């Protein structure tokens, strides 16, 4: 059995966080019972692992590429399941009967497509090798280096979100959400190293990721609706307007949450992360 080196003085080990996410991935990637939930859990574990990899000082591009490929295999079924749920939710809130009927038809089609994909999806053929590579990683990190990295991550996420909001660009908001998700997962992991539960910033970032996720779901649904030329034009237009109004409400809510989530600033986050990690460093 491979013996992992112990962390050097003044370092923290992220191994428990890696092992927890890896165990979830291995147990869910090939699970056939309750496949939608298993796919969701596997995708979340992949996001955690990829976020953790970006905290390590060494080169892990090949492992990250394998994780991204696995996420890509699971994405289509998940996307169709989300489209079905989003269409059904909007159908319940829209008053026009023809528009609601259109949304219910889309929800049924996307749900059936998702079920079909879920039944065919299988675990990544190289999952065992990927798990071995992750288990062999050197996971000790320097508190100072990680703290500096987290400050830069916060600055990048905040700038990306602000630019996307100013441009009212749905795709750019989704890119900003990716940075928010990564930052939030890293914060949760680092607080776990320090023996702490997710703090106020991580909780607010989690709320922000949810709002931006709902926004993206509606944006993607709008594309599905617009791509149905055979649908009643009036019903299609009513659905698109309803989706646009819902997206705008989410943007306003996200802006308010972001003001609170980013209020600490990069320097404050860097100082807090370094202090907490140094308190538990080996």
């Amino acid at each position: 059995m491979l013996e992992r080196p112990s962390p050097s003085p003044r370092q923290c080990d992220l191994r428990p966080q890696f092992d927890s996410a890896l165990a979830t991935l291995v147990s869910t990637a090939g699970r056939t019972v309750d496949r939608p939930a298993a796919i969701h859990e596997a995708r979340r574990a992949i996001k955690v692992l990829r976020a953790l990899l970006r905290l390590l000082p060494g080169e892990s591009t090949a492992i990250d590429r394998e994780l991204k490929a696995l996420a890509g295999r699971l994405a289509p079924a998940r996307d169709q399941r989300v489209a079905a749920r989003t269409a059904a939710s909007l159908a319940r809130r829209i008053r026009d009967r023809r528009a609601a009927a259109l949304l219910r038809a889309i929800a049924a089609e996307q749900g059936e497509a998702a079920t079909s994909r879920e039944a065919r999806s299988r675990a990544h053929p190289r999952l065992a090798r990927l798990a071995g590579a992750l288990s062999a990683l050197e996971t000790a990190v320097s508190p100072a280096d990680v703290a500096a990295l987290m400050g830069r991550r916060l600055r990048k996420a905040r700038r990306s979100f602000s630019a996307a909001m100013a441009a009212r660009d749905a795709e750019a908001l989704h890119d900003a959400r990716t940075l928010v998700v990564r930052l939030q997962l890293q914060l949760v992991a680092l607080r776990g190293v320090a023996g702490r539960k997710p703090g106020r910033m991580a909780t607010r970032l989690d709320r922000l990721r949810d709002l931006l996720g709902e926004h993206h779901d509606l944006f993607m649904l709008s594309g599905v609706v617009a791509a149905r030329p055979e649908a009643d034009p009036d019903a299609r237009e009513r659905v698109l307007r309803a989706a646009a109004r819902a997206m705008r409400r989410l943007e306003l809510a996200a802006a308010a949450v972001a003001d609170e989530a980013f209020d600490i600033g990069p320097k404050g986050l860097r100082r807090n992360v370094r202090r907490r990690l140094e308190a538990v460093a080996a």
Side-chain angles (χ1 to χ4, degrees), residues 162-224:
S162 297
M165 286 291 289
R168 296 287 304 280
D169 186 329
E171 292 184 353
L173 268 178
H174 182 58
D175 292 339
R177 180 180 184 267
T178 299
L179 299 177
V180 167
V181 170
R182 188 174 298 155
L183 178 64
Q184 191 266 343
L185 293 174
Q186 289 170 337
L187 278 173
V188 171
L190 292 174
R191 286 184 68 89
V193 171
R196 294 171 174 263
K197 295 181 179 180
R200 183 175 61 181
M201 183 178 184
T203 301
R204 289 171 174 171
L205 287 174
D206 192 40
R207 175 59 178 155
L208 180 58
R209 68 180 283 182
D210 286 346
L211 291 169
L212 295 180
E214 292 178 42
H215 186 278
H216 182 66
D217 296 342
L218 284 164
F219 174 69
M220 297 302 292
L221 175 62
S222 297
V224 173

Side-chain angles (χ1 to χ4, degrees), residues 30 34 65 70-71 75 90 92 104 138-139 143 150 155 162 171 177 183 190 227 230 234 238 241 256-257 281-282:
D34 193 7
R65 189 164 50 242
L70 177 52
L90 189 59
R92 291 191 294 269
R104 286 193 294 270
E138 169 54 62
T139 54
M150 293 299 289
R155 183 179 294 107
S162 297
E171 292 184 353
R177 180 180 184 267
L183 178 64
L190 292 174
E230 77 285 357
D234 185 58
R238 287 176 182 272
R241 287 202 300 266
V257 172

Side-chain angles (χ1 to χ4, degrees), residues 19-282:
D19 287 347
S20 176
L22 180 56
T24 299
L25 175 59
V26 171
S27 67
T28 57
R31 196 175 81 201
T32 57
V33 178
D34 193 7
R35 192 64 183 148
I39 289 175
H40 175 71
E41 292 170 23
R43 281 168 52 82
R44 183 173 178 82
I46 290 170
K47 290 178 182 179
V48 172
L49 288 167
R50 296 188 72 195
L52 289 170
L53 283 175
R54 285 166 170 78
L55 295 175
L56 301 182
E59 176 63 41
S60 52
T61 303
I63 297 176
D64 185 68
R65 189 164 50 242
E66 287 287 340
L67 287 168
K68 185 177 181 180
L70 177 52
R73 290 168 65 92
L74 299 172
R78 173 67 178 164
D79 291 346
Q80 288 172 326
R81 183 64 63 190
V82 169
R85 186 179 65 225
T86 304
S89 175
L90 189 59
R92 291 191 294 269
R93 304 197 304 268
I94 203 165
R95 294 180 178 180
D96 186 83
R97 287 185 295 178
R98 289 177 298 171
L102 173 58
L103 285 166
R104 286 193 294 270
I106 291 174
E109 291 171 7
Q110 293 292 316
E112 291 174 4
T115 299
S116 177
R117 281 187 179 274
E118 288 159 359
R120 298 195 308 269
S121 66
R122 295 292 182 271
H124 196 296
R126 297 187 295 277
L127 181 57
R129 188 175 70 183
L130 176 59
L134 284 164
S135 296
L137 278 174
E138 169 54 62
T139 54
V141 295
S142 159
D145 291 346
V146 169
L149 177 64
M150 293 299 289
R152 293 193 297 271
R153 291 281 184 258
L154 172 57
R155 183 179 294 107
K156 184 176 181 179
R158 186 172 63 182
R159 288 177 176 173
S160 178
F161 175 79
S162 297
M165 286 291 289
R168 296 287 304 280
D169 186 329
E171 292 184 353
L173 268 178
H174 182 58
D175 292 339
R177 180 180 184 267
T178 299
L179 299 177
V180 167
V181 170
R182 188 174 298 155
L183 178 64
Q184 191 266 343
L185 293 174
Q186 289 170 337
L187 278 173
V188 171
L190 292 174
R191 286 184 68 89
V193 171
R196 294 171 174 263
K197 295 181 179 180
R200 183 175 61 181
M201 183 178 184
T203 301
R204 289 171 174 171
L205 287 174
D206 192 40
R207 175 59 178 155
L208 180 58
R209 68 180 283 182
D210 286 346
L211 291 169
L212 295 180
E214 292 178 42
H215 186 278
H216 182 66
D217 296 342
L218 284 164
F219 174 69
M220 297 302 292
L221 175 62
S222 297
V224 173
V225 173
R228 293 175 69 99
E230 77 285 357
D232 181 292
D234 185 58
R236 187 172 63 239
E237 184 60 27
R238 287 176 182 272
V239 169
L240 292 175
R241 287 202 300 266
R245 288 193 299 271
M247 289 169 65
R248 183 54 182 161
R249 288 193 294 270
L250 288 166
E251 289 167 12
L252 294 173
V257 172
D259 285 343
E260 296 181 345
F262 296 139
D263 66 351
I264 187 175
K267 290 183 179 179
L269 179 62
R270 182 169 66 243
R271 183 172 57 251
N272 288 349
V273 169
R274 181 168 183 171
R275 183 178 68 249
R276 286 173 182 147
L277 291 183
E278 285 183 343
V280 297

